[in-house]
């Protein structure tokens, strides 16, 4: 069970990150959170099963992250949309998004992302969903290898929630 205070602390950290974006995004940040939309709105859309709404919000994330050219924001933008594309059965696009996310991942620089965005390591998540996309596209050997990479990274990180992401 999450404590409300802990959730408020995470939101505070996220909103602090928004301030870092102001030079790149100008007035957009004043109206929206982080990458151009409230993270809570994206999360809420996913939780409610409003997949097409979440996908539209994820695309906004990508556009704004591309404007900033910040690798951390690009990582999270592609990390957001990749799994959503899989939910609508667009496995090829999902695979491309997830592979793109991983290109921005830096284990040291993004170590705090597991506590800021979704409670899991973004690379583990992208590799796990990427393995599912590969499987659905008919590449079981590649899927198994990528899934094993995700599992190895999660174990190495010693992060239980990330490890759980490798189990589905």
């Amino acid at each position: 069970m999450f404590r409300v205070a802990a959730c408020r602390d995470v939101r505070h950290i996220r909103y602090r990150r928004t301030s870092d974006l102001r030079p790149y995004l100008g007035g957009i940040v004043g109206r929206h959170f982080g990458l151009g939309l409230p993270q809570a709105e994206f999360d809420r859309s996913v939780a409610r099963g409003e997949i097409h709404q979440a996908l539209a919000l994820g695309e906004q994330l990508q556009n704004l992250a591309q404007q900033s050219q910040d690798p951390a924001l690009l990582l999270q933008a592609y990390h957001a949309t990749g799994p959503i594309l899989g939910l609508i059965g667009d496995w090829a696009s999902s695979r491309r998004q997830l592979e793109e996310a991983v290109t921005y991942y830096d284990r040291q620089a993004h170590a705090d992302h597991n506590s800021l965005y979704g409670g899991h390591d973004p690379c583990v998540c992208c590799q796990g969903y990427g393995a599912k996309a590969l499987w659905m596209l008919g590449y079981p050997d590649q899927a198994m290898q990528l899934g094993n990479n995700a599992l190895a990274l999660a174990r190495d990180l010693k992060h239980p929630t990330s490890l759980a992401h490798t189990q589905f």
Side-chain angles (χ1 to χ4, degrees):
M1 184 67 95
F2 291 104
R3 290 186 12 224
V4 174
C7 293
R8 285 187 191 133
D9 291 342
V10 170
R11 279 195 309 258
H12 174 72
I13 292 168
R14 287 181 176 168
Y15 284 113
R16 266 196 2 233
R17 181 73 174 130
T18 300
S19 298
D20 297 341
L21 294 173
R22 287 187 196 283
Y24 301 108
L25 304 178
I28 294 170
V29 174
R31 294 192 318 268
H32 303 287
F33 162 76
L35 293 171
L37 65 121
Q39 181 71 36
E41 186 177 344
F42 176 84
D43 293 343
R44 191 172 28 256
S45 294
V46 173
R48 290 181 177 170
E50 300 166 353
I51 303 307
H52 292 284
Q53 173 68 15
L55 186 57
L57 294 169
E59 289 171 358
Q60 289 178 31
L61 274 170
Q62 285 183 1
N63 291 335
L64 293 167
Q66 288 168 356
Q67 288 176 23
S68 76
Q69 288 301 300
D70 180 333
L73 302 179
L74 288 159
L75 166 63
Q76 288 305 327
Y78 287 104
H79 171 223
T81 55
I84 300 300
L85 287 162
L87 290 175
I88 63 169
D90 187 351
W91 296 107
S93 295
S94 176
R95 176 186 177 189
R96 284 191 299 274
Q97 298 284 313
L98 296 163
E99 287 174 348
E100 183 74 15
V102 172
T103 66
Y104 295 107
Y105 181 76
D106 178 308
R107 184 172 171 174
Q108 299 301 321
H110 303 131
D112 64 342
H113 282 218
N114 65 24
S115 61
L116 295 175
Y117 300 99
H120 59 272
D121 182 78
C123 189
V124 170
C125 180
C126 291
Q127 288 179 335
Y129 275 103
K132 188 182 295 185
L134 285 166
W135 186 275
M136 297 302 288
L137 290 168
Y139 302 104
D141 293 337
Q142 291 176 35
M144 190 65 109
Q145 180 61 47
L146 190 57
N148 286 335
N149 292 349
L151 182 59
L153 177 59
R155 286 179 174 156
D156 194 42
L157 292 169
K158 296 178 177 60
H159 190 254
T161 312
S162 296
L163 185 60
H165 265 268
T166 67
Q167 303 301 307
F168 53 89

